[in-house]
Amino acid sequence: MRCRKRKCIKYILVVLTILGLTNLMTFRVFGQAVTTTKPQFPKEKVYVHVNSTTVFVGEYLLYSLYCLDEEILAPSRVSKIAYVDLIGENGKRIFQQKIRLEKGRSYSDFFIPTSVVSGNYKLVGYTRWMQNFSKEEFFRQNITIINPYTSDQSVFLKEESDSLAYTGTGIQKIPSWENHPASEISSNWAIQLESSKFGPREKVVFNLTSKEIETEGSSVSISVRKIPSMSSPSLITSNFVKTYRNTDSNMKATKLGSYTYLPEIRGELIAGRVLDKLTSKPVKKVGVSFSLPGYGAHFKTAYTNDDGTFYFSIQDEYEGEAATVHVLGDENETCRLEMFADERPDMTEEDFYAFQLTETMRESILERSFHNQIENAFFSVKPDTVLTVSSKIPFFLENSLAYQLDDYTRFPTLRETVVEILEHLWIKRESQEKRTFKVRVNPPYSESDNRPLVLMDGVQVLDHESLMDYNARQIEKITIGRGRYVFGKQVYDGVMSIETFDRDYNLPYNGTSSLLVQLSKPQARKNYFMQNYVENGSPSNQNIPDFRYQLLWIPVAKTNNSSEFSFFTSDVKGKFEIRVEGFSKTGGPISLKETIIIE
């Protein structure tokens, strides 16, 4: 009787397991199937606040990005990477940037060089997860770029068809996705100013106030910029995100099934495939390593699936421009690596704003171009600051032994240095032509046939023999980790990390089983320059020309019930707009603007 009960329980468990497996969601990473136990992910929506919709060459296009859960408009917890492209009418991308998301927020910029021609462009924002659904759900913002340093302005002089909508002195095509209804003004939020008129180089203070009980968790971006005298594309406000719904897409996030793109839920995805050299068939269950030269903290191991596909998720920031990818194991010489391209969606079928150039704009264009040249000439005294990447010790080098070789007698080769100086490290001969390094691991680990992980300036070196006669005078430091480390299925007994003085070790890549892969890394973050004419009670930069059109840019501003912000005006006179865009903690859009006059 007891046996029957056990069999019954076992049968129920098997049935429940099978039923559970049917609820798995299958994704495809760059066209390759990957299975995850996550039953569903919410759909996302992206909003991008730009500082201006009309930009001259020699200026920065600044933007602040919000990645939101489509249903509740709270910061999305799905994607950790977002993509921003600037696309021309011919479908050509002027730039394509990748930015890291922190609680659904990020920002960056693009300096418009003189190589960019005058034209109508589209700024597009999206995530990889959004690429599984309709492209109509991507964020789009019309941008006009004016290059006054070229005589070819024909794009702004051509005649348009009758289907265009006229707005003021300009002409604007109105795509269906931009026909969103007007929404209510953010009545709970307000910009408070003591005055609306100011003089040159005068301090302006304003408050962003809220009637909401809880403002912690709300996030906005703030721009103060001169209002252009020419017609410009309409700025898409945060109200758009709440009011726009794409009725053409019937794909739902709750629907289980196969998707083309895996969401970047941990970080930037880098993927590829391992193929057999002779047959070009996928090689499954083979190890692949990823390491960034000079940065040992970024070492990862992955294994191929049945399609021969592998992928790495890079969570931390890095400064390198290229990474090393190896096929691991004794069979690596029979394999061929193939890296997947960073796919971007086709955005050729787009409607664009049609800017129209008129003779009345001549003076304002010349003046703005002149001011831009002066501002760029004095950029060195008004610089933006790039935030440095914080370095950290890799977990496998914590509690390690470090040897600064200048503290010891120098020996000609690395082999002699290991024999004469380094403790807990020796050289083992595996064959007549092959020697390997070995590390004595800490108790309770017992010695085994596992090799150590050997890194040269952060690059994994599989052929230890190639380092035996390396010039030790070029080595600054050797660090020994005595633990047993598991990366996927790969087990390493200890770590030997070698750092040269110039951090310029070049691995002999064979182009098949080991590759140097160029990375399209996320944009570095900045602290943007803020003019301050009163610093420590004394005049500052009083003799420097000041023709700023952008008086303030705060891409990520935290708020409370009454947040104070300030900036200094420039020598440029006219109407300026204070623009605040963002979302409250409850997902409500915050879209505010006030006009000030500089006389």
Side-chain angles (χ1 to χ4, degrees):
M1 186 71 177
R2 189 173 297 172
C3 289
R4 288 183 179 178
K5 286 183 177 179
R6 288 179 179 173
K7 288 182 179 180
C8 184
I9 293 172
K10 186 176 182 180
Y11 175 78
I12 292 172
L13 290 174
V14 170
V15 172
L16 289 174
T17 302
I18 293 173
L19 289 174
L21 289 175
T22 62
N23 287 326
L24 296 180
M25 176 183 276
T26 300
F27 293 94
R28 294 186 178 272
V29 184
F30 302 92
Q32 304 301 316
V34 177
T35 301
T36 174
T37 55
K38 259 291 197 190
Q40 63 183 26
F41 289 111
K43 289 175 69 174
E44 293 178 315
K45 180 166 284 189
V46 162
Y47 170 68
V48 184
H49 175 203
V50 297
N51 69 320
S52 179
T53 59
T54 301
V55 190
F56 280 41
V57 297
E59 294 180 347
Y60 279 92
L61 175 61
L62 309 169
Y63 65 85
S64 179
L65 185 141
Y66 301 75
C67 182
L68 307 166
D69 183 305
E70 184 185 60
E71 293 301 319
I72 60 176
L73 296 186
S76 173
R77 297 183 179 182
V78 177
S79 295
K80 296 297 183 292
I81 297 291
Y83 299 83
V84 178
D85 301 343
L86 185 67
I87 302 171
E89 291 185 86
N90 57 1
K92 181 180 178 181
R93 282 178 166 81
I94 303 304
F95 74 76
Q96 48 188 40
Q97 293 184 341
K98 184 187 298 183
I99 54 177
R100 294 188 184 277
L101 294 171
E102 184 176 340
K103 296 181 180 179
R105 293 285 280 114
S106 193
Y107 62 90
S108 191
D109 57 63
F110 181 75
F111 181 78
I112 310 296
T114 54
S115 58
V116 177
V117 299
S118 294
N120 302 300
Y121 296 85
K122 189 85 70 175
L123 187 81
V124 182
Y126 56 95
T127 64
R128 189 173 297 281
W129 176 231
M130 290 173 65
Q131 289 183 256
N132 291 299
F133 309 100
S134 171
K135 290 188 295 185
E136 290 300 314
E137 299 187 19
F138 294 177
F139 175 84
R140 292 166 169 81
Q141 169 68 66
N142 281 313
I143 301 290
T144 294
I145 294 179
I146 299 176
N147 186 342
Y149 308 112
T150 177
S151 59
D152 183 10
Q153 306 292 339
S154 57
V155 67
F156 296 148
L157 301 175
K158 62 183 180 181
E159 294 184 0
E160 302 292 341
S161 64
D162 296 336
S163 61
L164 302 179
Y166 286 79
T167 305
T169 58
I171 306 174
Q172 181 167 8
K173 295 179 181 178
I174 305 194
S176 60
W177 67 270
E178 285 185 348
N179 289 335
H180 57 279
S183 60
E184 295 181 3
I185 300 174
S186 309
S187 57
N188 288 334
W189 296 77
I191 298 173
Q192 291 187 345
L193 282 159
E194 292 185 0
S195 174
S196 62
K197 295 185 178 181
F198 301 89
R201 304 194 180 194
E202 185 177 345
K203 186 175 183 179
V204 180
V205 179
F206 68 93
N207 289 83
L208 181 61
T209 62
S210 174
K211 297 177 183 178
E212 295 186 6
I213 299 175
E214 292 187 22
T215 58
E216 185 178 354
S218 302
S219 182
V220 298
S221 42
I222 303 174
S223 174
V224 181
R225 187 173 179 84
K226 190 175 191 298
I227 300 174
S229 57
M230 60 194 71
S231 64
S232 300
S234 300
L235 178 74
I236 305 299
T237 70
S238 57
N239 287 324
F240 156 77
V241 177
K242 187 172 184 178
T243 57
Y244 172 68
R245 289 289 186 272
N246 179 30
T247 57
D248 297 331
S249 176
N250 51 19
M251 293 185 69
K252 303 297 182 184
T254 54
K255 181 180 178 181
L256 303 182
S258 180
Y259 292 89
T260 305
Y261 298 95
L262 183 72
E264 294 175 293
I265 58 177
R266 293 183 178 178
E268 175 187 7
L269 280 179
I270 298 172
R273 184 188 292 118
V274 178
L275 304 173
D276 185 277
K277 276 185 181 179
L278 297 177
T279 65
S280 294
K281 291 183 178 180
V283 181
K284 61 182 180 179
K285 297 181 181 179
V286 65
V288 183
S289 71
F290 171 95
S291 52
L292 274 167
Y295 303 92
H298 293 85
F299 175 80
K300 294 179 178 290
T301 299
Y303 283 80
T304 58
N305 60 15
D306 291 342
D307 295 321
T309 301
F310 62 89
Y311 62 98
F312 300 102
S313 180
I314 312 303
Q315 304 172 33
D316 300 320
E317 294 184 85
Y318 56 88
E319 293 182 350
E321 299 289 344
T324 299
V325 180
H326 289 300
V327 178
L328 304 175
D330 297 333
E331 68 276 16
N332 63 352
E333 295 302 323
T334 65
C335 297
R336 174 168 58 88
L337 273 169
E338 181 182 276
M339 302 303 296
F340 294 142
D342 188 8
E343 295 183 19
R344 297 292 176 114
D346 180 19
M347 303 296 293
T348 53
E349 298 179 2
E350 290 291 318
D351 291 326
F352 288 80
Y353 176 87
F355 177 83
Q356 190 174 31
L357 194 64
T358 64
E359 182 63 29
T360 58
M361 302 177 186
R362 178 184 178 87
E363 291 302 320
S364 61
I365 290 176
L366 288 174
E367 181 182 53
R368 186 163 163 180
S369 301
F370 176 68
H371 290 164
N372 284 338
Q373 292 181 58
I374 295 177
E375 281 296 294
N376 288 328
F378 286 92
F379 179 78
S380 60
V381 296
K382 307 176 185 180
D384 299 328
T385 305
V386 177
L387 301 180
T388 58
V389 176
S390 58
S391 60
K392 67 177 184 179
I393 300 175
F395 75 91
F396 48 80
L397 290 181
E398 293 176 353
N399 303 318
S400 57
L401 300 173
Y403 294 86
Q404 295 284 348
L405 295 194
D406 279 346
D407 297 338
Y408 301 87
T409 301
R410 285 280 183 175
F411 291 89
T413 65
L414 178 58
R415 177 185 61 82
E416 293 170 284
T417 302
V418 170
V419 173
E420 300 294 338
I421 297 177
L422 305 184
E423 298 181 43
H424 307 294
L425 184 69
W426 75 95
I427 297 172
K428 179 181 178 181
R429 184 174 290 277
E430 293 186 336
S431 65
Q432 189 172 356
E433 297 180 352
K434 292 288 184 181
R435 292 169 291 181
T436 63
F437 297 108
K438 297 286 289 184
V439 173
R440 183 174 293 108
V441 293
N442 287 319
Y445 302 123
S446 58
E447 293 183 12
S448 67
D449 292 333
N450 295 326
R451 289 184 172 192
L453 171 63
V454 176
L455 300 172
M456 189 75 166
D457 287 339
V459 178
Q460 185 183 20
V461 180
L462 300 177
D463 182 11
H464 298 184
E465 179 66 37
S466 66
L467 296 180
M468 294 297 168
D469 295 326
Y470 187 84
N471 185 357
R473 292 181 176 85
Q474 297 179 12
I475 298 175
E476 177 185 13
K477 178 183 177 182
I478 299 177
T479 306
I480 309 297
R482 296 183 59 201
R484 176 166 289 169
Y485 308 99
V486 181
F487 293 86
K489 300 176 184 178
Q490 200 75 23
V491 180
Y492 297 98
D493 275 357
V495 175
M496 178 184 182
S497 176
I498 306 165
E499 299 175 37
T500 64
F501 284 103
D502 297 328
R503 306 292 195 273
D504 60 350
Y505 175 73
N506 293 315
L507 187 75
Y509 302 99
N510 60 25
T512 54
S513 61
S514 63
L515 294 175
L516 183 66
V517 180
Q518 296 299 317
L519 301 175
S520 173
K521 68 177 184 178
Q523 297 295 302
R525 297 189 178 184
K526 295 180 180 179
N527 281 329
Y528 290 99
F529 172 78
M530 295 180 67
Q531 181 64 270
N532 186 359
Y533 282 112
V534 181
E535 189 173 303
N536 299 325
S538 61
S540 175
N541 293 337
Q542 292 287 356
N543 298 323
I544 303 298
D546 187 356
F547 294 111
R548 289 173 297 125
Y549 281 61
Q550 186 76 42
L551 302 183
L552 179 67
W553 173 249
I554 305 178
V556 180
K558 300 300 180 182
T559 62
N560 51 43
N561 291 95
S562 182
S563 304
E564 183 178 282
F565 301 95
S566 64
F567 60 91
F568 281 85
T569 62
S570 66
D571 295 331
V572 179
K573 298 180 181 181
K575 291 183 178 181
F576 286 73
E577 183 178 76
I578 302 174
R579 171 74 70 165
V580 178
E581 298 290 342
F583 298 87
S584 68
K585 180 181 180 179
T586 57
I590 303 170
S591 182
L592 307 168
K593 64 178 181 178
E594 289 289 345
T595 301
I596 61 173
I597 299 174
I598 301 177
E599 300 176 323

